[in-house]
Amino acid sequence: MEQERRSTGKRKGVWMPFLSGLTGAVVGGACVLFMYTGDIAPSIGQTQSDNTKNVTTAQENSKNNTVKTLPVSTSSSTKDVSSMVEKALPSVVGVNNYQAPSSLSGSGSNEQEAGSGSGVIYKKSGNKAYVVTNHHVVEGANKLEVKLNEGTTLSAKLLGSDQWLDLAVLEIDGSKVKSVANLGNSDAVKAGEQAIAIGNPLGYLEGSVTQGIISSKERDLPVDIDQDGQEDFTAQVIQTDASINPGNSGGPLLNANGEVIGINSSKIAQEEVEGIGFSIPINTAKPIIETLVKQGEIKRPQMGIVPQSLNQIPTASRQHVLNLPDTVQNGAVVLNVEAGSPAEKAGLQNYDVITELDGKEIDTAASLREYIFKHQAGDHITVTYYRDGQKASAELTLEDVSK
């Protein structure tokens, strides 16, 4: 499958001592892990290998030029759709990511276009306008530009981004902006309803429109943030069969009324798979967007540990390194406890295996994060864990961390 996002900030030196004795811990699972999309299209003239930092694979585009027909909803007439699209198009933009070449790393005056994605203008206030896009579209940029639908290119300022939900907000000069998108209610969408994606596929097909349906209103998507083959987080997304290609990232998913119900983010890219794309629900995105504008970052509560899913650990290591009883099959292994963290203050140690938080069963590292992220800094939680085969518990107070 397409590995859809490059690594960001993996901790070095934390994993190796423990994992060196756990060779084969990461095995092929039944679920597909996503690193969000490789939807950043390479700049014109670049080959795929020239842009491996930003585009992992786009084999579905490069192997042939066959045009495949997408399912079309009949709930609205073609005239209705074209009229709606005409109104929505001015709020959809291209986002260009410029980075310093590796040989000139650190030089801010020699940026080259590394890739491009899409975005949507969702607000205008005074002489400023605001664009929402994906984190992975703007990641690593030395300079960002936004290209309006009518062709004007504007400098863009990154106000903030969030890698966990793959969202980012840009600020641009609002004097050239004539239209902003209408934000809808993603909670109200239903499977089978019409869905329309607008974006900048391949980096130069600006304003491309694709049509399909909502395949699933609420899909749990396992996400691999650091590309180590393990699930780090579970995102709740909208699934659609409207075509989403490299360069569509950050563009809007619209309903039949032309309202933005999602921000396109990822897809499954396998030869045998067609029409499985994912969009961040706009109701999920709204509070993140507002916080990024006000604070420039998202602060989430943390325990101060590096967890790994117990099901990634070989049976022999569970028995001889972790000394777990056979009855413990699921949980999150503590690989590292950060100095001064809530976990250290609560007495947690490396190789403890967390099985419950506040009495709620913890199956994986992803479920641990999901539970923690639903809380706030200052909240008290009870941690149930195993150490050397003995069950124990501890109380800790969550703290904020910007990530």
Side-chain angles (χ1 to χ4, degrees):
M1 75 171 265
E2 178 178 344
Q3 298 300 309
E4 301 193 56
R5 177 174 162 174
R6 59 193 172 95
S7 177
T8 56
K10 182 176 178 180
R11 301 172 187 271
K12 296 183 179 180
V14 171
W15 304 76
M16 295 310 295
F18 184 54
L19 294 183
S20 62
L22 301 179
T23 304
V26 181
V27 297
C31 66
V32 179
L33 292 183
F34 291 81
M35 278 59 75
Y36 292 116
T37 68
D39 285 4
I40 305 177
S43 58
I44 298 174
Q46 280 186 306
T47 65
Q48 182 174 315
S49 60
D50 289 333
N51 199 32
T52 52
K53 287 187 177 181
N54 299 285
V55 180
T56 46
T57 60
Q59 295 178 351
E60 70 277 19
N61 298 305
S62 62
K63 285 191 174 181
N64 57 64
N65 294 318
T66 303
V67 177
K68 299 178 181 179
T69 303
L70 292 170
V72 177
S73 168
T74 58
S75 60
S76 299
S77 68
T78 301
K79 183 177 180 180
D80 291 338
V81 172
S82 61
S83 176
M84 178 270 285
V85 168
E86 186 177 3
K87 293 179 181 179
L89 271 173
S91 66
V92 182
V93 300
V95 178
N96 297 324
N97 179 322
Y98 291 87
Q99 299 180 14
S102 57
S103 60
L104 298 173
S105 182
S107 173
S109 60
N110 294 281
E111 297 94 350
Q112 295 181 359
E113 186 176 348
S116 63
S118 304
V120 58
I121 304 170
Y122 71 93
K123 184 174 75 170
K124 183 178 177 181
S125 178
N127 61 352
K128 298 177 181 178
Y130 301 87
V131 176
V132 59
T133 184
N134 288 145
H135 165 83
H136 75 262
V137 169
V138 303
E139 186 179 16
N142 291 65
K143 181 177 74 172
L144 291 164
E145 288 183 347
V146 164
K147 186 176 182 181
L148 302 182
N149 179 255
E150 41 81 5
T152 301
T153 299
L154 303 172
S155 296
K157 176 184 177 182
L158 177 63
L159 296 183
S161 67
D162 176 35
Q163 68 170 342
W164 290 98
L165 288 184
D166 198 27
L167 291 168
V169 179
L170 309 178
E171 179 185 284
I172 59 174
D173 178 5
S175 64
K176 300 289 185 180
V177 174
K178 307 302 180 184
S179 178
V180 299
N182 294 319
L183 304 185
N185 179 10
S186 54
D187 290 341
V189 305
K190 297 179 181 178
E193 285 186 355
Q194 188 176 47
I196 294 173
I198 305 179
N200 184 30
L202 305 184
Y204 62 91
L205 300 176
E206 294 93 346
S208 291
V209 180
T210 57
Q211 184 182 24
I213 62 171
I214 300 296
S215 303
S216 176
K217 172 183 176 179
E218 191 173 0
R219 183 72 71 193
D220 288 339
L221 190 70
V223 177
D224 184 356
I225 293 290
D226 55 16
Q227 296 190 37
D228 64 351
Q230 298 177 38
E231 179 183 349
D232 294 312
F233 184 65
T234 301
Q236 281 74 47
V237 295
I238 297 171
Q239 180 185 334
T240 180
D241 67 353
S243 182
I244 297 174
N245 293 295
N248 273 116
S249 282
L253 186 70
L254 308 174
N255 61 16
N257 297 321
E259 299 168 328
V260 179
I261 54 173
I263 303 300
N264 298 322
S265 178
S266 57
K267 65 181 288 184
I268 292 180
Q270 294 176 324
E271 285 187 24
E272 65 272 22
V273 175
E274 255 186 77
I276 302 181
F278 302 99
S279 185
I280 304 161
I282 196 63
N283 286 14
T284 300
K286 284 178 183 178
I288 300 298
I289 293 169
E290 292 173 2
T291 302
L292 289 175
V293 171
K294 293 176 181 177
Q295 301 179 6
E297 60 183 0
I298 301 297
K299 291 186 176 181
R300 291 187 171 87
Q302 57 105 12
M303 293 175 61
I305 65 171
V306 176
Q308 181 179 6
S309 299
L310 181 61
N311 60 22
Q312 300 286 336
I313 307 300
T315 301
S317 295
R318 297 186 203 181
Q319 295 174 344
H320 303 301
V321 178
L322 302 176
N323 298 317
L324 286 175
D326 293 338
T327 55
V328 179
Q329 296 295 317
N330 297 300
V333 182
V334 178
L335 296 187
N336 187 66
V337 177
E338 297 178 2
S341 68
E344 184 185 59
K345 294 173 185 176
L348 292 180
Q349 299 178 10
N350 291 356
Y351 307 165
D352 286 347
V353 180
I354 298 171
T355 56
E356 294 179 11
L357 293 176
D358 291 332
K360 177 180 173 59
E361 186 176 353
I362 297 300
D363 296 328
T364 62
S367 66
L368 182 145
R369 289 191 180 96
E370 185 178 357
Y371 186 83
I372 295 298
F373 285 177
K374 290 178 180 178
H375 289 71
Q376 297 180 350
D379 286 352
H380 303 283
I381 63 171
T382 300
V383 182
T384 301
Y385 62 94
Y386 281 82
R387 179 182 298 162
D388 290 328
Q390 300 299 312
K391 189 174 184 179
S393 64
E395 302 287 328
L396 61 77
T397 303
L398 297 174
E399 297 177 358
D400 269 339
V401 64
S402 301
K403 285 188 179 180

